Amino acid sequence: MGKILAFLKKDLWKIIIILSLTFIQAMANLFLPSFMSDIVNLGIPNGDTAYILEIGGFMLVIAFGGIICQIFARFMSSKVSAGFSMDLRNTVFTKVESFSLTEFDKFSTASLITRCTNDITQIQHFLDMTLRMAITAPMMAIGGIIMAIRYGQSLSLILIVSCTAIIAVMAVNFSITVPKFKMMQTNVDKLNLITRENLSGIRVIRAFNAQATQDKKFDKANQDLTRLHLIIGRIMAALQPLTMLIMNITTVIVLWLGSRLVQSYTIQVGDLMAFIQYVMQIMFSFQMLSMTFMIIPRAMVSVKRINEILDTDPVIKDNNEEDIKTPDNTGKVEFRNVTFYYPNAIEPALKNISFVSKPGQVTAIIGSTGSGKSTLVNLIPRLYDVSEGEVLVDDVNIKNFSQHELRNRIGYVPQKNMLFAGDIESNIVFDREVIESEITESAEISQAMEFINEKEQGFQHPIAQAGSNVSGGQKQRLAIARALINSPKIYIFDDSFSSLDFKTESKLRNALEPKVKNSTVILVTQRVSTIMDADQIIVLDSGNIVGVGTHKYLMKNSSVYYEIASSQLTKEELS
């Protein structure tokens, strides 16, 4: 909670003003019934019109002042809570951006989206309500009780009983709803997960006519969330009517007993009216507190969920500044006895991997599905940290680089190509300082100019979210162009030519060769034809290296490689 409250420091003076305004408003509300009592007890019996007008005018001024204070307090509390929510959202999003893939696997993308949006909104609503009622409700309750006892001591027992009853109702409500709200946020996560999954995979769903199955999954999650909402709604719905019932019963009892006290001259009519007003104020303050209590349980759950993000230290982080090294940028990559386990995995995804990839060489990685190819290349830009051994770039352990410097040396084309909403140019440049000729050169090498020239707007052609308005091959070529910008010394192509036809791939590889001739190229592929000319080929099988060498060498000495090659090439090509 302390980390979240720290975001209010810059608005501390505004909070003090809000609390001061609500204090003035509460004081105005507390004094109005006592003035009314004076009018009824002194002004009306004596027929003193001047006194009535004087006190009545004073009451109007106080009431108007209270309204002005309330308006300003509400305006400022909305401004503070909205600003707080913006700052918190920025901080949470920045923290999420610093997470490694390990943290993303832990929280899930859908849950992180819910926490950045829905949870922060709940905290914002709670803060807004608390700022407006933190002073008003307690002051009206405590001050009202003191003033009520002053004007009707003989009726104070009724007040104590009714206040105790309201507190008991709120306590029971609170104890029931807190666990339900926790379940609700988990169900929101689940609904977001299914929604995101369905929208992302809409093409597959339609291709297999699986709409009905996916609808059932969504309906179940939706019904579970709705059912929980209804349970909480019913519990919450009972809170205000029960509070009103206690208030009304209290008013009836006060009027009944008060009329008898007035009849016996034990209490004056004005004092009884003032007492009733104070009872109403006390009950109203409890009603305000009950409204706050309705949002507290959900806000508490949201605070806990936000704190889980803020308290999570990324597994991958930079060393101390004095330990950071910046060696000459040559592009050499080396794996030394690397073993890697995914979080909570029993078996390692990679076992005792060792090899060297030098500048000017093409190192190809091939293997069956699930052999660990993508896992291996994900370790180089430090998307995951090794479990054992070390990965070196330019003869320095990558843990001794800053993450920015390390990734700045690498041109990475992931297996799943990702484009972002914007245009073609923004997706190639990706917020780096480049000149126009570099953009054009990268697009020409990646063979993207073929379709860019066909677009009326050229490089300014809009790209939809996730690149949904371009084909798989076009998306892949733009991803390659993005990696070529700034001419890094290390290139990682993770199955980056799979969506290209053989003609386009051949043209791309020929154009790429002079660009990367002085760089280290690590190429993950399923196509043997793509890597036949590679300087060294690493064959993976179940996370182990089972062969290293050229195509000709492996054809003679690696049964795994021969099996892969023979399944793709003709006898003439094999010989």
Side-chain angles (χ1 to χ4, degrees):
M1 190 69 179
K3 287 185 179 180
I4 292 179
L5 290 176
F7 290 94
L8 294 173
K9 282 184 180 178
K10 70 181 181 67
D11 291 324
L12 191 58
W13 66 274
K14 291 180 184 177
I15 294 171
I16 292 171
I17 292 173
I18 293 167
L19 296 180
S20 301
L21 290 172
T22 54
F23 175 80
I24 294 168
Q25 178 201 349
M27 291 298 293
N29 291 336
L30 283 172
F31 281 110
L32 285 174
S34 64
F35 288 125
M36 184 191 67
S37 174
D38 291 341
I39 290 175
V40 174
N41 288 338
L42 302 174
I44 294 175
N46 297 325
D48 191 344
T49 306
Y51 181 78
I52 294 171
L53 290 175
E54 180 185 349
I55 300 298
F58 194 53
M59 288 176 68
L60 285 173
V61 170
I62 292 175
F64 183 74
I67 291 169
I68 296 297
C69 287
Q70 186 178 27
I71 290 170
F72 274 103
R74 290 202 171 193
F75 171 76
M76 290 189 72
S77 67
S78 297
K79 194 172 181 180
V80 168
S81 59
F84 161 83
S85 131
M86 181 185 71
D87 292 341
L88 182 58
R89 195 175 291 113
N90 282 338
T91 302
V92 170
F93 183 75
T94 303
K95 185 65 181 275
V96 168
E97 280 192 313
S98 73
F99 283 170
S100 68
L101 297 182
T102 303
E103 282 78 43
F104 277 96
D105 293 340
K106 173 186 173 184
F107 285 106
S108 86
T109 304
S111 179
L112 289 172
I113 291 171
T114 305
R115 293 174 199 236
C116 287
T117 53
N118 184 277
D119 283 306
I120 292 177
T121 301
Q122 296 304 323
I123 298 171
Q124 178 185 342
H125 290 164
F126 171 70
L127 176 63
D128 185 33
M129 191 173 289
T130 301
L131 287 174
R132 289 191 279 111
M133 298 183 181
I135 292 291
T136 307
M139 267 201 66
M140 286 179 65
I142 297 168
I145 290 170
I146 293 169
M147 297 296 283
I149 291 172
R150 176 187 168 191
Y151 282 96
Q153 287 185 355
S154 51
L155 298 171
S156 56
L157 181 63
I158 302 167
L159 201 57
I160 294 169
V161 172
S162 60
C163 288
T164 305
I166 290 174
I167 291 170
V169 168
M170 288 195 298
V172 171
N173 185 284
F174 190 73
S175 64
I176 295 172
T177 53
V178 169
K180 301 290 182 188
F181 277 118
K182 188 173 182 180
M183 292 169 60
M184 178 185 287
Q185 292 305 101
T186 304
N187 282 9
V188 171
D189 284 349
K190 186 177 179 182
L191 190 67
N192 280 346
L193 176 65
I194 293 172
T195 304
R196 184 172 176 273
E197 187 178 60
N198 284 355
L199 294 178
S200 301
I202 191 67
R203 295 178 184 178
V204 177
I205 292 168
R206 287 177 178 172
F208 288 89
N209 289 323
Q211 290 95 325
T213 304
Q214 297 304 114
D215 283 348
K216 286 178 183 176
K217 284 173 66 177
F218 182 86
D219 284 345
K220 185 180 184 306
N222 195 19
Q223 286 171 11
D224 289 344
L225 183 60
T226 303
R227 196 176 299 113
L228 202 54
H229 264 294
L230 289 173
I231 292 170
I232 293 171
R234 291 186 189 110
I235 296 168
M236 289 297 187
L239 182 60
Q240 193 167 353
L242 283 172
T243 306
M244 291 296 296
L245 178 63
I246 294 168
M247 286 173 62
N248 291 329
I249 292 172
T250 302
T251 305
V252 171
I253 294 172
V254 167
L255 285 171
W256 179 59
L257 293 177
S259 62
R260 294 195 170 202
L261 294 174
V262 170
Q263 193 176 10
S264 62
Y265 300 101
T266 305
I267 190 173
Q268 290 182 299
V269 174
D271 291 347
L272 176 61
M273 291 179 68
F275 182 84
I276 292 171
Q277 287 294 314
Y278 283 122
V279 168
M280 291 296 101
Q281 284 190 9
I282 294 163
M283 295 300 157
F284 179 68
S285 67
F286 275 110
Q287 198 168 18
M288 284 196 294
L289 286 172
S290 71
M291 288 171 64
T292 307
F293 269 80
M294 287 172 71
I295 198 169
I296 280 177
R298 194 167 186 179
M300 282 179 60
V301 172
S302 295
V303 165
K304 185 178 178 183
R305 283 161 58 87
I306 295 299
N307 272 331
E308 284 178 0
I309 292 178
L310 297 178
D311 292 338
T312 298
D313 285 328
V315 174
I316 296 174
K317 51 189 175 184
D318 292 341
N319 283 337
N320 297 327
E321 194 171 339
E322 58 270 18
D323 296 327
I324 297 295
K325 296 180 180 178
T326 311
D328 291 338
N329 190 4
T330 63
K332 181 182 176 183
V333 176
E334 182 179 357
F335 276 61
R336 289 184 185 169
N337 304 316
V338 169
T339 297
F340 173 74
Y341 289 82
Y342 279 107
N344 303 317
I346 299 172
E347 292 292 325
L350 296 172
K351 306 168 193 172
N352 199 31
I353 303 295
S354 295
F355 69 90
V356 178
S357 187
K358 297 177 182 178
Q361 287 186 346
V362 174
T363 298
I365 301 171
I366 196 168
S368 58
T369 302
S371 59
K373 302 184 298 296
S374 294
T375 301
L376 188 149
V377 294
N378 282 339
L379 297 177
I380 301 170
R382 211 181 168 197
L383 301 181
Y384 286 102
D385 260 345
V386 299
S387 305
E388 299 172 17
E390 56 184 351
V391 179
L392 298 95
V393 167
D394 298 326
D395 296 317
V396 172
N397 191 317
I398 59 172
K399 295 180 180 180
N400 292 327
F401 281 90
S402 69
Q403 293 177 65
H404 179 270
E405 172 61 25
L406 172 65
R407 291 163 188 165
N408 206 38
R409 298 180 178 220
I410 300 171
Y412 180 48
V413 185
Q415 189 174 34
K416 185 178 180 181
N417 299 300
M418 183 67 190
L419 298 184
F420 299 84
D423 55 37
I424 289 175
E425 183 175 313
S426 68
N427 272 280
I428 294 175
V429 175
F430 217 51
D431 202 31
R432 290 168 292 183
E433 293 183 7
V434 296
I435 57 176
E436 190 174 342
S437 60
E438 287 183 276
I439 302 171
T440 306
E441 181 191 15
S442 297
E444 285 175 348
I445 292 172
S446 67
Q447 307 306 303
M449 288 303 296
E450 289 183 6
F451 70 88
I452 293 174
N453 288 331
E454 294 174 0
K455 307 293 183 184
E456 186 177 338
Q457 294 169 281
F459 281 100
Q460 277 63 53
H461 179 77
I463 296 293
Q465 186 179 14
S468 58
N469 62 334
V470 293
S471 70
Q474 291 172 344
K475 192 187 298 185
Q476 200 162 61
R477 280 178 276 175
L478 289 176
I480 293 169
R482 180 166 59 202
L484 295 174
I485 289 286
N486 289 340
S487 302
K489 285 295 184 180
I490 300 170
Y491 289 95
I492 299 174
F493 298 103
D494 187 0
D495 205 11
S496 303
F497 309 126
S498 58
S499 296
L500 306 179
D501 59 82
F502 285 101
K503 181 182 175 182
T504 303
E505 181 187 342
S506 177
K507 289 167 66 178
L508 191 155
R509 286 172 59 78
N510 289 334
L512 191 63
E513 190 173 339
K515 176 74 173 179
V516 302
K517 65 179 179 179
N518 295 319
S519 301
T520 300
V521 178
I522 298 176
L523 176 63
V524 175
T525 184
Q526 298 281 10
R527 295 179 181 175
V528 173
S529 59
T530 302
I531 60 172
M532 290 174 69
D533 297 325
D535 296 288
Q536 69 170 340
I537 300 170
I538 296 170
V539 185
L540 287 181
D541 185 39
S542 301
N544 295 288
I545 292 180
V546 293
V548 178
T550 61
H551 170 71
K552 288 183 178 179
Y553 174 83
L554 291 171
M555 286 295 292
K556 294 177 181 177
N557 297 285
S558 174
S559 58
V560 174
Y561 183 79
Y562 181 83
E563 186 179 337
I564 295 170
S566 60
S567 68
Q568 298 180 23
L569 306 176
T570 63
K571 288 183 179 180
E572 291 76 14
E573 290 172 319
L574 287 172
S575 58

